[in-house]
Amino acid sequence: MDIDAWVWWLIGAVGLGIPLVLTAMPEFGMFAAGAVAAAVTAALGGGVVAQVLVFVVVSVALLAVVRPIANRHRSQKPQHRSGIDALRGRSAVVLERVDAGGGGRIKLAGEIWSARSLDADITFEPGQSVDVVEIDGATAVVM
């Protein structure tokens, strides 16, 4: 039984896809895409030289174009903070007396939060503005 060249290229693409999944190295995916392009070339009747050239050109082009873009995105800090990270550093208004004991309430980002003072010696009265230092469970720690 003689297997067509395009089938071998697809087997190679699958073989390159396995380490991609196991190691999360995108380079294997780029080589797999090159193998798929070579399979298409073989299916369209291209010779062995054309198949290898297509594999090399597509793989190298993907490495040259995609890797720098991926590295640039990986090194960027997230632009939007969400969840607890978005609440740190925000201002809030004291609704009920806040002290280190944690019985107070503040209005933070339109919601009512339980709060406690960061410093045990400082108490905040209703109407005062405070800054959120951190979120400890469901309690805002303020100063």
Side-chain angles (χ1 to χ4, degrees):
M1 181 169 135
D2 190 25
I3 299 178
D4 292 333
W6 66 271
V7 175
W8 285 113
W9 281 109
L10 287 180
I11 292 169
V14 170
L16 289 166
I18 291 170
L20 167 67
V21 173
L22 295 177
T23 65
M25 291 180 61
E27 291 81 3
F28 285 109
M30 296 173 206
F31 289 127
V36 170
V40 170
T41 303
L44 294 175
V48 173
V49 173
Q51 294 168 31
V52 172
L53 279 175
V54 166
F55 171 75
V56 170
V57 168
V58 169
S59 298
V60 170
L62 285 172
L63 284 171
V65 173
V66 175
R67 274 184 86 201
I69 294 170
N71 286 337
R72 192 169 41 242
H73 283 284
R74 191 178 320 145
S75 66
Q76 289 178 347
K77 293 181 180 178
Q79 295 178 353
H80 300 289
R81 298 185 307 164
S82 62
I84 292 173
D85 292 331
L87 298 176
R88 285 192 196 113
R90 295 203 48 184
S91 293
V93 176
V94 176
L95 299 177
E96 295 175 12
R97 184 177 181 180
V98 174
D99 55 25
R105 299 257 185 262
I106 60 170
K107 187 164 192 170
L108 172 62
E111 298 178 341
I112 308 298
W113 281 76
S114 61
R116 66 178 166 83
S117 176
L118 177 65
D119 188 345
D121 298 332
I122 299 178
T123 301
F124 300 100
E125 298 299 330
Q128 281 186 285
S129 180
V130 293
D131 293 321
V132 176
V133 177
E134 66 178 297
I135 303 293
D136 182 19
T139 302
V141 179
V142 299
M143 61 179 244

